[in-house]
Amino acid sequence: MTKILIIGGVAGGASAAARARRLSEDAEIIMFERGHYVSFANCGLPYHIGGDIKDKSKLLLQTPESFLARFNVDVRVMNEVTHINRQDKTVTVKNLLDGSEYREAYDFLLLSPGAGPIVPPIPGLDNPLTHSLRNIPDMERILNTIEMNKPEHATVVGGGFIGLEMMEAFHQLGIKTTLVEMADQVMTPVDREMAGFAHAEIREKGVDLKLGVALESVEYLPSEHIADVNSGEDAAHQHIEGELKLSLNSGETLTTDILIMAIGVRPEIKLAQQAGLQIGELGGICTNEMMQTSDPAIYAVGDAVEAKDFVTNAPSLVPLAGPANRQGRMAADNMFGRNEAYQGTQGTAICKIFDIAVASTGKNEKQLKRDGIKYEKVYVHTASHASYYPGAEIVSFKMLFDPNTGKILGAQAVGKDGIDKRIDVMAVAQRAGMTVEQLQHLELTYAPPYGSAKDVINQAAFVASNLMKGDAKAIHYHEISHLTDEQLLLDVRNPGELEAMGSLAGAINIPVDQLRQRINELPKDKEIIIYCQVGLRGNVAYRQLVNNGYKARNLLGGFRTYQFAQA
């Protein structure tokens, strides 16, 4: 009889336990969890705080009782594995309720410890009004502070998924909110010009967004009338009042009533280190494609492991629930002699930011530059469905690809509607090894309420193919500030658009529909840099000019990309 021990529940551990039972009715499966909850929807925590998910019990996916009833898995909550003895294949477990210790033997061990919040060495962070959010007790402490301290102002440090979701939760509760981010953008999986749409949305909602700013110190100022706390009272229900004085590296100070630290997570590797398992350069547990650690009897999955990047094959740390679930399932398969290989993480992700969604898959431009990978990029801004049918919204889409082979390297999209659909299609296309040439031929659903006859993805593929075939020559938004006297800016929009939306300094304006009649106004000894609102009319003008013997380039993504890149 096979005996499997699983350390940690949530996505990876719980998936492995359920899969192992489906494969074998007689295996002994024990799962250890040091907290109270074995399987909960940690991605849903901010939405309960903000009130979208009313019922807390909806976040509890499985309890020890339900796991036992359905899968015959012995789930031991409040039991922490403190030591792994690889020689005799046992673990030492501490019962956190009574302090007792015991040993348990294994044939296979699965590590699914997850990742913990990074707590930077900032003076004054250890106070009752500062929180991070990883699990249900964290969520309850935040809700308790909101209830007891009745905050009028909240500060969130960190512009990643948790930070953005907590910012929105506070806003929804009517609490004035400041978001502090040390980088020059929120949502680092996308590039800065795409994050510009999120910055505009955040500021439009009245959130005080501080980019390129870091928290330096925190001072806790208790209220005069803090209630006495009985030592026996549950710490989650203490009566907390007071405020925090935050010092920022910009020289500014902020007074706030609750502080959320969400600057990222790092893998929980203490047990793996103690067991002498190999740790990677990025600080995660090393695994092979079977999800085995350097000890073949010990598997590891989820946020704690370094998994292969789908594009580069290099080790990567991507703390996402989807990969963790798939890895847990595969690890269980392999314990029972199957030969399942994990095929890499693309990092496909989406985040709701008020009324817009920001999503991405594959590599972004920052990563491609860092890794020295040759790429080209295109931008498309087009309607989420037929523009004549009510409710169409702009999808702003960026695609990165290999300029020689057309291999898809990554994609990003922002907008109010149809964002998940586009990035999901791109994630599938990338995993299937499709090229931009093949993307042109994708046949996607079309009816006026749902899509367009030429989908956003088809259009991006057309633009990319034009570049590869030499039918178009591009200039990008970041090159506009470096034009020389040998170049001339041509705005081909209508005069009314220039007044309403702004324009680039020094550009001459000839609307595209007048260009044939007025083409002689343009000099042939200069390169004409064409732009319109989103790049479409610019391409029409580009073809007219080059067919008439002019040197020209078209601003990809048009004035809209340029504008939001500055946001």
Side-chain angles (χ1 to χ4, degrees):
M1 184 177 74
T2 304
K3 185 171 177 184
I4 297 170
L5 301 185
I6 296 173
I7 301 173
V10 197
S15 295
R19 177 66 172 170
R21 176 57 72 221
R22 291 197 296 274
L23 294 177
S24 165
E25 194 51 42
D26 59 2
E28 186 182 355
I29 306 169
I30 305 174
M31 188 170 4
F32 302 99
E33 173 55 58
R34 65 185 171 199
H36 284 281
Y37 303 97
V38 64
S39 181
F40 60 92
N42 49 3
C43 298
L45 302 178
Y47 297 106
H48 178 59
I49 294 170
D52 293 302
I53 299 168
K54 302 279 183 237
D55 184 356
K56 184 181 103 173
S57 68
K58 294 267 197 307
L59 298 171
L60 303 177
L61 306 178
Q62 292 281 359
T63 63
E65 295 73 28
S66 69
F67 236 101
L68 183 66
R70 181 165 295 181
F71 297 110
N72 190 24
V73 171
D74 177 2
V75 177
R76 301 179 188 175
V77 292
M78 300 305 286
N79 276 249
E80 181 173 13
V81 176
T82 56
H83 193 83
I84 298 169
N85 187 334
R86 287 166 52 194
Q87 279 64 44
D88 61 8
K89 291 176 93 167
T90 63
V91 299
T92 305
V93 189
K94 184 176 186 180
N95 182 324
L96 298 178
L97 294 175
D98 62 15
S100 62
E101 282 197 343
Y102 61 97
R103 281 187 154 204
E104 203 72 62
Y106 65 84
D107 295 308
F108 293 108
L109 177 63
L110 180 83
L111 303 180
S112 178
I118 294 170
V119 181
I122 292 172
L125 267 192
D126 188 10
N127 67 69
L129 300 178
T130 297
H131 303 278
S132 55
L133 181 60
R134 182 194 184 189
N135 53 34
I136 285 179
D138 290 343
M139 179 187 79
E140 287 175 335
R141 281 189 283 271
I142 292 168
L143 286 168
N144 182 56
T145 299
I146 292 169
E147 191 189 332
M148 294 299 183
N149 209 33
K150 309 238 177 323
E152 290 175 13
H153 186 277
T155 301
V156 177
V157 176
F161 294 98
I162 297 286
L164 291 166
E165 287 160 3
M166 282 306 302
M167 165 199 76
E168 188 168 346
F170 285 134
H171 182 270
Q172 214 156 294
L173 293 170
I175 300 168
K176 197 161 169 38
T177 305
T178 296
L179 179 65
V180 177
E181 169 54 62
M182 193 159 73
D184 63 354
Q185 66 167 95
V186 302
M187 217 25 211
T188 50
V190 302
D191 290 310
R192 194 184 185 283
E193 73 279 15
M194 299 301 283
F197 297 99
H199 300 158
E201 175 75 4
I202 290 165
R203 291 186 166 125
E204 202 255 320
K205 289 292 187 287
V207 172
D208 176 22
L209 175 62
K210 296 183 186 297
L211 296 172
V213 174
L215 177 63
E216 285 199 327
S217 68
V218 180
E219 188 186 353
Y220 174 46
L221 307 167
S223 167
E224 306 274 314
H225 41 271
I226 288 188
D228 287 330
V229 177
N230 298 325
S231 54
E233 193 184 340
D234 180 351
H237 297 288
Q238 292 177 5
H239 194 83
I240 308 154
E241 288 180 15
E243 59 186 26
L244 301 173
K245 190 173 157 195
L246 311 181
S247 298
L248 308 177
N249 69 350
S250 57
E252 246 179 306
T253 56
L254 266 184
T255 302
T256 198
D257 305 309
I258 182 170
L259 173 62
I260 305 293
M261 294 300 295
I263 62 169
V265 294
R266 66 165 57 103
E268 289 265 2
I269 56 169
K270 201 169 79 176
L271 260 182
Q273 278 176 313
Q274 167 272 309
L277 298 175
Q278 189 184 341
I279 304 298
E281 283 183 21
L282 301 174
I285 302 167
C286 283
T287 56
N288 62 15
E289 58 186 11
M290 315 279 285
M291 303 316 299
Q292 285 169 306
T293 65
S294 50
D295 180 332
I298 302 178
Y299 291 75
V301 299
D303 296 358
V305 308
E306 292 187 8
K308 182 178 77 172
D309 180 88
F310 182 78
V311 175
T312 64
N313 288 327
S316 66
L317 284 175
V318 185
L320 292 171
N325 273 292
R326 295 197 304 280
Q327 290 164 5
R329 177 190 169 92
M330 285 174 184
D333 278 349
N334 293 332
M335 288 175 189
F336 287 101
R338 300 193 172 199
N339 200 3
E340 293 287 340
Y342 183 69
Q343 295 180 8
T345 300
Q346 288 165 281
T348 309
I350 189 165
C351 188
K352 174 184 180 294
I353 303 175
F354 298 114
D355 297 335
I356 66 167
V358 181
S360 62
T361 191
K363 307 307 278 179
N364 60 39
E365 199 174 337
K366 299 183 291 270
Q367 293 164 330
L368 294 171
K369 275 183 186 159
R370 181 197 67 202
D371 295 341
I373 296 171
K374 199 174 178 202
Y375 68 92
E376 182 52 277
K377 58 184 174 181
V378 295
Y379 299 91
V380 180
H381 305 279
T382 189
S384 57
H385 60 244
S387 53
Y388 54 80
Y389 185 89
E393 298 285 355
I394 294 177
V395 174
S396 292
F397 184 84
K398 176 179 185 177
M399 181 169 68
L400 297 148
F401 59 98
D402 182 309
N404 299 320
T405 64
K407 175 185 168 184
I408 299 159
L409 300 173
Q412 303 165 29
V414 187
K416 291 186 177 181
D417 181 46
I419 300 305
D420 51 346
K421 173 163 89 169
R422 271 55 187 222
I423 292 301
D424 283 342
V425 169
M426 289 303 297
V428 174
Q430 183 181 46
R431 194 161 282 270
M434 292 179 72
T435 62
V436 294
E437 200 278 326
Q438 292 168 320
L439 275 188
Q440 297 178 96
H441 306 289
L442 281 189
E443 196 171 317
L444 303 170
T445 56
Y446 165 57
Y450 301 109
S452 300
K454 282 193 293 194
D455 188 77
V456 177
I457 289 170
N458 298 124
Q459 295 210 35
F462 296 150
V463 178
S465 295
N466 281 344
L467 290 181
M468 288 181 71
K469 290 173 184 161
D471 290 339
K473 201 171 173 194
I475 188 166
H476 291 295
Y477 71 90
H478 48 81
E479 298 173 85
I480 291 295
S481 53
H482 306 298
L483 298 184
T484 68
D485 292 343
E486 304 302 306
Q487 294 165 309
L488 177 76
L489 259 179
L490 173 65
D491 187 331
V492 296
R493 296 174 297 166
N494 297 323
E497 290 176 83
L498 277 65
E499 280 176 43
M501 295 162 177
S503 59
L504 297 174
I508 63 168
N509 176 221
I510 303 177
V512 68
D513 295 338
Q514 298 176 17
L515 188 57
R516 272 191 188 83
Q517 287 69 45
R518 298 176 57 186
I519 200 163
N520 293 332
E521 294 175 28
L522 296 171
K524 277 206 162 168
D525 60 344
K526 293 194 174 190
E527 184 183 44
I528 312 298
I529 304 299
I530 309 157
Y531 77 95
C532 64
Q533 190 59 22
V534 298
L536 197 61
R537 287 171 289 176
N539 185 54
V540 173
Y542 170 85
R543 292 307 311 167
Q544 272 187 49
L545 287 170
V546 295
N547 288 343
N548 279 290
Y550 285 84
K551 287 181 299 181
R553 283 198 281 165
N554 181 27
L555 175 62
L556 288 199
F559 186 66
R560 182 176 168 85
T561 296
Y562 178 86
Q563 200 177 17
F564 279 96
Q566 318 301 320

